[in-house]
Amino acid sequence: MNIIKRRGWEISESKVTPEALFFNRRKVLGGLAAVPFMGSAQAAVNAKFADAGRAVTPEEQNTTYNNFYEFGTSKSISDAAQALVSSPWNIAIDGLVEKPITLSFDDNIRKMQKEDRIYRHRCVEAWAMVVPWTGFALKDLIALAKPKPEAKYVRFETFNDPKMAPGQQAGLFSSFPWPYVEGLSMAEAMNDLAFVATGAYGKDLPKSMGAPLRIHLPWKYGFKSIKSIVKISFVAEKPMNFWQAIASNEYGFWANVNPEVPHPRWSQASEEVLGTGERMPTKLFNGYGEFVADLYKGMEKDPIFF
Ligand SMILES: Nc1nc2c(c(=O)[nH]1)N[C@H]1C(S)=C(S)[C@@H](COP(=O)(O)O)O[C@H]1N2
Ligand SMILES: [Mo]
């Protein structure tokens, strides 16, 4: 991690200790350059960007407290998620593209130029965490896909395999509209912050967190950050996403974080920071407005915070 090249949306290392130091120490052991402490001038520059900085959520907590409804509706799905066969893995790319293609995780995705990013994550249920990801910008994957100009939205789909994922078996009293689907506008998908994660805590992505690849969109509620993606389609119309299909009065398409727009059943003004016992005020766009607010100019009439 090179602190000199830190971009504005990255969280200052001074605010992500002690996990980040642990993380850096791992890199030192792994032979990679690491700068565990910064000089005071650099610290002052970084502090400017670090007002929403928080400690990285402990790895043990992050990998065992999850939302992954394919494996059950509780937060304790990490054991069940071990049934996920995450290799070999293909990602189909279709819709409004020059040529539909299938990418192999091992042959194509593993070869992408990777970087580390530390992002805050805000679930719509009002809990939050900080995740040290490894991966690449979503726009790099879109460049491979070569969408046509008519493509206005990107639709993502998770696997659908009830034998592997018990949550996908038809329930006695209710059933979900599988597979899990999410969507973004092209402008959102091309934004620098939109990230494809293939690793966390310096390791391959754990199954419970959406192996072998998932999206992370730190300015949106967590349900937008779809896991274990098998298909990416370029489309002309706004896709219907999983949670909107279940409860359109509670969850929308845009789902940008906003403390002033309550969920119909609870406030979004503050959030529980996992692993700390603390409640913190929630920030507009989860504190990333400087980098994403422009995406929504002129859309004030749209339900962009829902
Ligand atoms: N396929 C799929 N993706 C998903 C979900 C899910 O149930 N299935 N849950 C979402 C929600 S609500 C959140 S908060 C995050 C949780 O990610 P984590 O378990 O890695 O913290 O994943 C999102 N992506
Ligand atoms: Mo969530």
Side-chain angles (χ1 to χ4, degrees):
M1 190 177 308
N2 185 337
I3 62 167
I4 311 298
K5 283 196 289 184
R6 184 187 309 288
R7 284 152 294 182
W9 38 262
E10 293 177 282
I11 300 171
S12 161
E13 241 151 272
S14 66
K15 298 290 170 72
V16 294
T17 54
E19 274 287 312
L21 291 179
F22 163 77
F23 193 49
N24 274 332
R25 215 173 298 128
R26 275 196 61 260
K27 287 193 168 176
V28 174
L29 295 172
L32 287 159
V35 187
F37 298 103
M38 56 186 126
S40 58
Q42 189 62 46
V45 172
N46 293 338
K48 178 162 108 64
F49 303 116
D51 49 313
R54 295 174 181 179
V56 167
T57 305
E59 179 178 359
E60 168 63 18
Q61 181 147 30
N62 218 328
T63 56
T64 57
Y65 183 93
N66 303 96
N67 272 333
F68 201 170
Y69 272 46
E70 285 82 345
F71 295 101
T73 55
S74 86
K75 297 288 179 275
S76 308
I77 53 76
S78 63
D79 286 345
Q82 299 316 307
L84 169 59
V85 180
S86 56
S87 176
W89 192 271
N90 291 322
I91 303 108
I93 300 199
D94 67 9
L96 301 168
V97 289
E98 283 177 20
K99 189 162 77 75
I101 49 168
T102 297
L103 300 175
S104 138
F105 187 83
D106 286 332
D107 297 341
N108 306 109
I109 305 295
R110 277 201 197 283
K111 295 199 178 104
M112 302 288 287
Q113 172 80 42
K114 303 289 193 327
E115 59 175 302
D116 294 332
R117 294 193 189 187
I118 298 174
Y119 272 169
R120 294 180 299 276
H121 175 100
R122 171 59 157 84
C123 176
V124 75
E125 297 163 335
W127 53 265
M129 58 188 182
V130 178
V131 195
W133 300 112
T134 303
F136 50 90
L138 176 56
K139 64 181 176 189
D140 294 348
L141 191 58
I142 293 177
L144 280 183
K146 299 197 182 80
K148 293 178 177 171
E150 307 91 273
K152 298 291 179 247
Y153 296 90
V154 195
R155 180 186 185 277
F156 303 91
E157 206 176 286
T158 298
F159 64 84
N160 190 4
D161 187 346
K163 281 209 280 299
M164 183 170 83
Q168 294 185 317
Q169 290 162 14
L172 199 49
F173 302 105
S174 66
S175 55
F176 291 114
W178 304 112
Y180 198 99
V181 168
E182 260 306 336
L184 293 172
S185 71
M186 279 298 282
E188 290 178 321
M190 295 297 288
N191 184 276
D192 281 340
L193 253 55
F195 199 60
V196 179
T198 56
Y201 297 90
K203 303 166 187 162
D204 282 350
L205 207 57
K207 293 183 178 187
S208 61
M209 290 174 75
L213 84 169
R214 56 96 57 86
I215 300 291
H216 193 230
L217 309 154
W219 73 99
K220 290 180 176 285
Y221 288 120
F223 67 84
K224 298 293 297 180
S225 293
I226 183 172
K227 296 177 168 183
S228 304
I229 297 164
V230 295
K231 191 158 117 173
I232 301 176
S233 308
F234 292 83
V235 296
E237 306 293 333
K238 216 181 262 170
M240 174 56 69
N241 50 327
F242 183 78
W243 280 105
Q244 189 176 9
I246 292 167
S248 63
N249 55 329
E250 299 193 3
Y251 309 98
F253 175 81
W254 300 101
N256 293 307
V257 174
N258 187 339
E260 289 175 13
V261 177
H263 182 277
R265 291 184 281 127
W266 59 83
S267 165
Q268 295 291 23
S270 68
E271 58 207 47
E272 182 198 338
V273 185
L274 285 191
T276 68
E278 269 184 295
R279 257 202 117 73
M280 301 273 277
T282 289
K283 293 190 172 176
L284 183 62
F285 294 114
N286 199 23
Y288 294 96
E290 189 184 338
F291 314 102
V292 297
D294 278 358
L295 289 168
Y296 308 102
K297 285 263 162 63
M299 287 178 52
E300 288 73 15
K301 287 206 173 66
D302 277 53
I304 57 172
F305 297 115
F306 174 68

